[in-house]
Amino acid sequence: MPPGRVMASTPGQKKRILEPDEPALDRVTRQKAKMATTTDHQESLLRMDSETSVQMGDELPHMDEDAMTTKTRLRKGKGLERITKSVGRKVPIQIAEGMKRPEKPLQAAKLASECGLVTRSHPPVLPHFKLYKNNASLLENYIGKVDANFEMNTDSETIKTACKDILQKHSKNRRHQIKKKYFDTIAANTVSIKSPVPDLTDGEWQALVEMWSTPRHKGTCVSNKMNREKVVYNQRTGSRHYTSHIFATK
């Protein structure tokens, strides 16, 4: 038998003789698999930030791999924080006069996401949007919290109009989700007096129930449902705003 090496075998298997020029198989341990997974994850984060920087038109500064390690945070919106850290400054928000959304898809997506996070976390859930507009301090606080994560001119009427429009849509969607889950599927005589939603006060819940129970609101819901069934050309751009969709398809 030619000289060779004997490879250690696992219990229940025969020994295998390797040829002199045949490399030995490297064992994949748990530690090696964990290190490989961590390296691939860091490379994907760096590649994602590089693509994001290209969309914003900026050069991505050099960063250590330790800076890209994800950390546990109480706040959501990690994508925006990672972009801000990689670029070295806050994401700028530029909205043309007369428009309600930024043209660049990245700016529009991050602005909508951040406004949604602020809407779900801070402002109360009111029955009508006119109650938001009549409360100047509430709107100022809302825009200020959004501005904390972006580079934008909060004194511009265009920026204020865009933030108000996003607040109107998010508050309407949130009322719809609460109504669909906690009101529509429950009999009228068994509706809870106290708020079933953790972040909704009893007063806000009772105001919503009172509005949903009026005949006028019920008639509006029926007419809106009939009008939606008449739509021939539905939206095909997903969650992307039409302005950003046109900019991306140029």
Side-chain angles (χ1 to χ4, degrees):
M1 179 181 296
R5 293 168 294 169
V6 178
M7 182 178 179
S9 60
T10 57
Q13 294 183 356
K14 296 181 179 180
K15 294 183 179 180
R16 179 186 172 190
I17 300 177
L18 301 178
E19 295 296 334
D21 56 344
E22 184 177 356
L25 299 177
D26 189 13
R27 294 180 58 192
V28 180
T29 61
R30 296 180 181 178
Q31 184 68 19
K32 292 181 180 180
K34 184 177 180 180
M35 293 176 60
T37 305
T38 304
T39 304
D40 295 340
H41 178 63
Q42 292 177 351
E43 292 178 357
S44 63
L45 290 177
L46 291 172
R47 183 168 58 255
M48 182 186 303
D49 291 331
S50 300
E51 295 174 356
T52 303
S53 179
V54 171
Q55 292 183 9
M56 294 180 60
D58 300 328
E59 294 183 358
L60 181 64
H62 175 71
M63 294 186 62
D64 298 332
E65 293 183 357
D66 296 337
M68 298 303 301
T69 305
T70 57
K71 299 180 180 180
T72 304
R73 298 183 179 89
L74 297 177
R75 178 187 175 278
K76 295 182 179 180
K78 297 181 181 179
L80 180 60
E81 294 181 357
R82 185 166 60 245
I83 293 173
T84 302
K85 183 183 295 185
S86 62
V87 178
R89 62 185 179 90
K90 297 180 180 179
V91 176
I93 300 298
Q94 301 170 353
I95 304 178
E97 186 176 357
M99 307 298 291
K100 294 184 178 180
R101 296 291 189 280
E103 289 187 349
K104 296 184 178 180
L106 176 65
Q107 296 182 13
K110 293 306 176 183
L111 178 62
S113 300
E114 189 65 23
C115 288
L117 290 174
V118 175
T119 303
R120 291 189 296 270
S121 303
H122 299 284
V125 182
L126 303 179
H128 302 281
F129 182 70
K130 63 181 180 181
L131 300 177
Y132 291 95
K133 294 192 298 183
N134 296 336
N135 193 336
S137 61
L138 191 150
L139 288 177
E140 183 179 356
N141 185 29
Y142 164 76
I143 297 176
K145 292 184 181 299
V146 175
D147 177 58
N149 298 284
F150 293 104
E151 182 181 338
M152 61 183 187
N153 183 17
T154 55
D155 297 331
S156 173
E157 291 297 331
T158 304
I159 296 292
K160 292 181 180 179
T161 303
C163 292
K164 291 178 184 178
D165 183 70
I166 298 176
L167 174 62
Q168 181 180 6
K169 295 184 181 302
H170 278 291
S171 59
K172 181 180 179 181
N173 291 338
R174 193 179 182 200
R175 287 195 301 267
H176 169 71
Q177 293 172 359
I178 295 174
K179 180 176 181 289
K180 183 178 179 180
K181 185 175 182 180
Y182 299 102
F183 186 81
D184 291 343
T185 58
I186 300 176
N189 57 347
T190 59
V191 175
S192 175
I193 299 177
K194 295 186 177 181
S195 172
V197 186
D199 56 345
L200 195 67
T201 63
D202 294 342
E204 296 171 1
W205 168 254
Q206 293 173 6
L208 292 175
V209 171
E210 183 179 356
M211 179 191 66
W212 294 334
S213 302
T214 57
R216 179 181 178 182
H217 181 80
K218 294 180 180 179
T220 303
C221 293
V222 173
S223 61
N224 289 340
K225 183 178 180 181
M226 296 175 60
N227 292 333
R228 286 193 297 269
E229 294 176 354
K230 298 178 182 179
V231 177
V232 179
Y233 302 102
N234 294 314
Q235 183 181 0
R236 300 293 184 181
T237 60
S239 59
R240 179 189 291 176
H241 194 265
Y242 183 74
T243 305
S244 302
H245 179 72
I246 294 299
F247 180 84
T249 54
K250 286 182 179 179

